[in-house]
């Protein structure tokens, strides 16, 4: 960005399919940094005139920018894929109450009901426990919907709870495959029927071959359309219909 700025570029748009440190969006402990805001400041200081990204962990991150920032959603890509499956007995599952809004929109797009897993923290650690399942899932095909898979722990816990509740199958629909640490091993232990992700983060060949039931969907056409709309001065919100 800095090189383009000093080369007299008329306009610089930073395209970040995955916005780094998006989970650090609030000060929930003493003496920690709101790193998502810092990244936004760094992009602006470097000279970016606009930022284009996809599925932020929290929409309020857009408020960290003082210049235009566009937030694409991968739900149309994921929905298009899942609509090729038999959804007559399916239910979308949110991994926690915070994800319920986006999961509810996704469920509406698919025309299926929504269930929510209630997660609680017993202490100040990052580890949360799934304590309750809200909604009817017995005998149904569950689709766990979330913005990213990091360690895979939440997905594994959700899958276990759903199977104990009597679901027929468990599939996952996620935008960002972070897959840190032992995530692949954790997901395989969950015995998922399918793990559907997008290509916002490249998956290594080793991870791709090791992760059972993996399906990667392309978001290239969405970013291509958005970039063209920005270049031509047209609305991006029309893409969200």
């Amino acid at each position: 960005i800095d090189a383009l700025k000093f080369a007299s570029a008329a306009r610089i748009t930073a395209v970040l399919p995955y916005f780094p440190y998006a989970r650090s969006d609030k000060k929930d402990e003493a003496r920690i940094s709101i790193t998502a805001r810092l990244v936004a400041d760094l992009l602006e200081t470097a000279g970016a005139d606009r930022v284009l990204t996809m599925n932020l962990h929290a929409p309020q991150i857009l408020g960290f920018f003082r210049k235009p920032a566009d937030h694409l959603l991968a739900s149309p890509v994921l929905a298009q894929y899942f609509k090729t499956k038999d959804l007559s007995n399916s239910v979308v599952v949110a991994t926690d109450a915070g994800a319920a809004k986006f999961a509810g929109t996704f469920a509406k797009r698919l025309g299926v009901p929504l269930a929510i897993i209630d997660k609680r923290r017993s202490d100040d650690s990052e580890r949360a426990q799934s304590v309750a399942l809200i909604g009817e899932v017995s005998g149904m095909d569950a689709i766990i919907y979330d913005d990213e898979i990091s360690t895979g722990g939440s997905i594994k816990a959700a899958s276990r709870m759903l199977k104990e509740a009597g679901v027929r199958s468990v599939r996952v629909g996620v935008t960002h495959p972070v897959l840190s640490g032992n995530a692949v091993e954790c997901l395989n232990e969950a015995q998922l029927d399918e793990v559907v992700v997008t290509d916002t983060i490249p998956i290594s060949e080793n991870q791709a071959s090791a992760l059972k039931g993996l399906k990667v969907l392309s978001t290239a056409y969405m970013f291509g359309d958005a970039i063209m709309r920005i270049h031509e001065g047209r609305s991006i919100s029309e893409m969200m219909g």
Side-chain angles (χ1 to χ4, degrees):
I1 293 174
D2 186 65
L4 291 170
K5 179 181 177 181
F6 282 95
S8 302
R11 180 177 61 188
I12 302 171
T13 300
V15 181
L16 290 79
Y18 176 67
F19 189 81
Y21 297 100
R23 297 177 70 175
S24 178
D25 61 342
K26 57 185 177 295
K27 193 174 180 66
D28 50 8
E29 292 182 28
R31 299 177 181 176
I32 64 169
S33 169
I34 304 177
T35 317
R37 185 183 64 188
L38 176 61
V39 173
D41 290 342
L42 289 171
L43 289 169
E44 291 186 15
T45 301
D49 297 297
R50 190 172 191 141
V51 173
L52 176 64
T53 188
M54 177 170 276
N55 274 78
L56 291 169
H57 185 65
Q60 63 263 27
I61 293 175
L62 293 173
F64 296 160
F65 291 92
R66 291 179 293 273
K67 292 186 177 181
D70 300 299
H71 178 211
L72 300 180
L73 299 177
S75 52
V77 178
L78 292 165
Q80 184 179 32
Y81 174 77
F82 280 110
K83 282 181 178 179
T84 64
K85 309 291 184 179
D86 180 11
L87 299 176
S88 59
N89 195 40
S90 296
V91 57
V92 169
V93 181
T95 54
D96 56 37
K101 181 178 180 180
F102 286 121
T105 302
F106 186 66
K108 184 178 180 181
R109 189 181 286 270
L110 294 182
V112 302
L114 173 70
I116 303 170
I117 292 176
D118 182 19
K119 287 198 302 190
R120 303 289 176 87
R121 299 187 189 280
S122 57
D123 52 33
D124 292 333
S125 69
E126 287 295 315
R127 193 176 185 84
Q129 290 185 331
S130 301
V131 297
L133 177 62
I134 304 169
E136 181 58 46
V137 299
S138 180
M140 303 182 75
D141 300 308
I143 302 173
I144 300 174
Y145 182 76
D146 209 349
D147 63 318
E148 68 177 57
I149 300 177
S150 181
T151 63
S154 293
I155 298 294
K156 181 180 178 180
S159 176
R160 181 172 60 249
M161 177 173 281
L162 289 168
K163 289 179 179 179
E164 289 174 353
V167 298
R168 289 195 315 185
S169 66
V170 180
R171 289 178 287 174
V172 174
V174 170
T175 303
H176 307 299
V178 179
L179 301 179
S180 60
N182 297 322
V184 171
E185 180 182 344
C186 188
L187 292 172
N188 284 338
E189 290 174 354
Q191 297 182 335
L192 303 166
D193 293 271
E194 192 172 27
V195 180
V196 184
V197 300
T198 74
D199 58 354
T200 56
I201 299 176
I203 301 176
S204 69
E205 291 185 9
N206 289 339
Q207 287 181 319
S209 60
L211 182 52
K212 299 175 183 177
L214 176 65
K215 175 68 176 180
V216 181
L217 306 178
S218 174
T219 57
Y221 77 90
M222 288 197 71
F223 279 102
D225 189 13
I227 291 169
M228 184 60 70
R229 287 171 180 269
I230 291 172
H231 178 70
E232 296 176 348
R234 294 187 289 129
S235 172
I236 287 183
S237 60
E238 294 176 357
M239 297 175 60
M240 304 304 158

